């Protein structure tokens, strides 16, 4: 759906994005993660044709972004801070944008009723926009970007400022949109939310990707940050402890009662071989469980918080 190759954008000689390469497949919910100033919003604005890149190639659905008019019909963009017309009702606000997209009034009514139902705003259709809570305003923003039925939704910090219930409701809405065939790319500082909802992740720092892939691929890359709980038949615990201490893949191993806590060295990703290793040492396994690092731990490990 999105292909970015060697994308570069600078402002007054300062690179915001440099040689960025990323891929987002159709139907993905892609979490775009990075510290402030890493290049997330700049990338989003280039994808939406608001900014022109200095160099590189970007296509959305096989269409080059330099064909701005066609791209804009394919994309729904919700920036982190978006203005609303407060002296309108919710329905009037959406109707205004429907008219701006040149949707006829008969089709528009049917369309807007469907969008209000989808975003759970139907009961607020006659409410003034200025009366909406932060969560409802974010829902209104999502509703607005759906009006022209874009294939791609780009959402910059959609969960910002939301309370826990509103975040859960937004997460469920995003899953529903993905089930309808929408491709979604979003950023968030609430990393736990991205871990819950995203099928793929991209971690960016200083305008370049430090990682791109699934959560499982991230776990594999950072396996050395994991703790592996190992439990054997009681008679074999000491043998397993000695064997693991001598193993080349072991960074540290500690005993907690009958459970051994193993950390492997950086670069070792063959976790599946450890049970075989122990069985070859005549250790009878009862439990082998990997505790993967949180997305926050992964983020802190892969980025250094450097501004450009």
């Amino acid at each position: 759906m999105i292909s970015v190759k060697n994308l570069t954008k600078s402002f007054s000689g300062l690179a915001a994005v440099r040689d960025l390469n990323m891929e987002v497949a159709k139907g993905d919910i892609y979490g775009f993660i990075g510290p402030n100033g890493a290049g997330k919003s700049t990338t989003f604005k280039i994808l939406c044709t608001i900014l022109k890149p200095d160099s590189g190639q970007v296509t959305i659905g096989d269409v080059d972004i330099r064909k701005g008019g066609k791209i804009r019909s394919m994309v729904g963009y919700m920036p982190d801070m978006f203005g609303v017309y407060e002296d309108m009702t919710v329905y009037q606000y959406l109707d205004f944008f429907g008219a701006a997209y040149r949707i006829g009034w008969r089709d528009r009514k049917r369309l807007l009723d469907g969008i209000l139902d989808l975003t759970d705003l139907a009961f607020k259709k006659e409410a003034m926009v200025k009366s909406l809570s932060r969560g409802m305003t974010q829902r209104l923003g999502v509703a607005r970007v759906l009006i022209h039925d874009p294939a791609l939704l780009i959402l910059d910090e959609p969960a910002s400022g939301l309370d826990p219930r509103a975040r859960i409701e937004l997460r469920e809405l995003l899953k529903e949109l993905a089930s309808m065939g929408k491709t979604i790319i979003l950023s968030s500082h609430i990393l736990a939310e991205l871990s819950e909802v995203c099928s793929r992740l991209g971690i960016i720092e200083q305008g370049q990707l430090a990682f791109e892939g699934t959560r499982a691929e991230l776990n594999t890359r950072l396996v050395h940050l994991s703790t592996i709980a190992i439990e054997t038949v009681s008679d074999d615990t000491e043998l397993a402890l000695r064997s693991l201490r001598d193993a080349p893949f072991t960074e540290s191993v500690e005993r907690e009662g009958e459970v051994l806590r193993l950390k492997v060295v950086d670069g070792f990703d063959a976790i599946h071989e450890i049970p075989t290793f122990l069985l070859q040492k005549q250790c009878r396994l009862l439990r082998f469980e990997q505790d993967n690092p949180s997305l926050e731990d992964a983020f802190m490990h892969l980025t250094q918080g450097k501004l450009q």
Side-chain angles (χ1 to χ4, degrees), residues 31-34 188-198 200-203 211 213-216 218-219 222 225 292-303:
F32 202 36
I33 306 169
S188 179
H189 286 115
I190 307 170
L191 300 189
E193 293 296 313
L194 295 183
S195 184
E196 289 285 335
V197 75
C198 292
R200 285 172 58 81
L201 300 165
I203 299 179
F211 170 83
T214 65
R215 187 69 170 91
L218 182 61
N219 291 340
L222 300 179
L225 299 181
N292 292 315
S294 68
L295 191 53
E296 287 87 349
D297 290 338
F299 175 79
M300 293 301 292
H301 182 80
L302 291 170
T303 65

Side-chain angles (χ1 to χ4, degrees), residues 34-297:
N36 292 332
K40 302 187 298 298
S41 293
T42 298
T43 302
F44 283 172
K45 289 175 182 177
I46 291 172
L47 292 175
C48 297
T49 73
I50 295 171
L51 291 176
K52 291 184 178 181
D54 297 334
S55 61
Q57 181 179 8
V58 182
T59 57
I60 298 177
D62 297 325
V63 179
D64 193 292
I65 61 164
R66 287 173 290 188
K67 298 179 180 179
K70 190 169 183 179
I71 288 292
R72 291 184 182 188
S73 68
M74 300 167 61
V75 176
Y77 174 49
M78 189 174 90
D80 55 345
M81 297 295 292
F82 60 93
V84 291
Y85 302 121
E86 295 187 340
D87 292 329
M88 289 181 171
T89 66
V90 166
Y91 190 87
Q92 288 170 338
Y93 177 82
L94 296 177
D95 187 60
F96 170 80
F97 282 97
Y101 282 111
R102 299 180 181 178
I103 300 170
W105 70 269
R106 288 189 179 87
D107 292 335
R108 199 158 71 234
K109 184 180 187 309
R110 183 174 61 254
L111 171 68
L112 296 185
D113 286 343
I115 289 175
L116 286 166
D117 286 337
L118 175 63
T119 56
D120 200 21
L121 282 171
F123 74 105
K124 287 285 189 180
K125 64 184 295 184
E126 299 304 328
M128 301 299 292
V129 171
K130 63 184 176 185
S131 72
L132 298 181
S133 66
R134 173 68 174 173
M136 289 295 173
T137 302
Q138 293 296 89
R139 281 179 172 274
L140 182 61
V142 174
R144 177 183 59 78
V145 300
L146 291 173
I147 289 173
H148 62 297
D149 194 25
L152 171 65
L153 302 179
I154 299 178
L155 311 177
D156 199 352
E157 296 289 342
S160 177
L162 300 188
D163 62 43
R165 177 179 293 277
R167 290 203 303 270
I168 291 170
E169 291 172 347
L170 178 63
R171 187 172 68 213
E172 294 307 310
L173 173 59
L174 295 178
K175 289 179 180 178
E176 186 170 356
L177 290 171
S179 73
M180 295 167 59
K182 302 293 185 187
T183 302
I184 303 170
I185 178 170
L186 70 154
S187 67
S188 179
H189 286 115
I190 307 170
L191 300 189
E193 293 296 313
L194 295 183
S195 184
E196 289 285 335
V197 75
C198 292
S199 53
R200 285 172 58 81
L201 300 165
I203 299 179
I204 185 173
E205 184 174 44
Q206 294 185 289
Q208 295 178 311
L209 281 188
F211 170 83
E212 183 178 60
T214 65
R215 187 69 170 91
E217 290 168 340
L218 182 61
N219 291 340
T220 298
R221 175 165 172 178
L222 300 179
V223 68
H224 62 286
L225 299 181
S226 303
T227 300
I228 302 168
I230 300 171
E231 189 173 355
T232 65
V233 173
S234 295
D235 293 344
D236 298 344
T237 303
E238 279 300 321
L239 173 59
L241 180 61
R242 292 195 302 272
S243 299
L244 290 171
R245 280 177 175 165
D246 293 338
F249 54 75
T250 299
E251 178 180 298
S252 66
V253 59
E254 302 293 337
R255 180 171 181 174
E256 299 176 0
E258 296 301 312
V259 178
L260 303 179
R261 302 284 180 186
L262 171 68
K263 295 193 74 172
V264 300
V265 296
D266 191 358
F268 179 79
D269 59 5
I271 297 299
H272 59 282
E273 295 180 2
I274 297 176
T276 302
F277 168 83
L278 290 169
L279 291 172
Q280 289 173 344
K281 298 293 184 180
Q282 307 302 311
C283 299
R284 294 164 289 178
L285 279 175
L286 296 175
R287 177 185 170 204
F288 186 89
E289 185 176 358
Q290 183 177 345
D291 180 19
N292 292 315
S294 68
L295 191 53
E296 287 87 349
D297 290 338

Side-chain angles (χ1 to χ4, degrees), residues 2-46:
I2 302 175
S3 177
V4 177
K5 296 180 180 178
N6 305 118
L7 179 64
T8 297
K9 178 65 178 179
S10 297
F11 298 95
S12 301
L14 187 66
V17 177
R18 47 187 170 187
D19 291 323
L20 178 67
N21 294 277
M22 62 187 290
E23 300 286 334
V24 181
K26 180 177 174 57
D28 270 350
I29 303 180
Y30 186 102
F32 202 36
I33 306 169
N36 292 332
K40 302 187 298 298
S41 293
T42 298
T43 302
F44 283 172
K45 289 175 182 177
I46 291 172

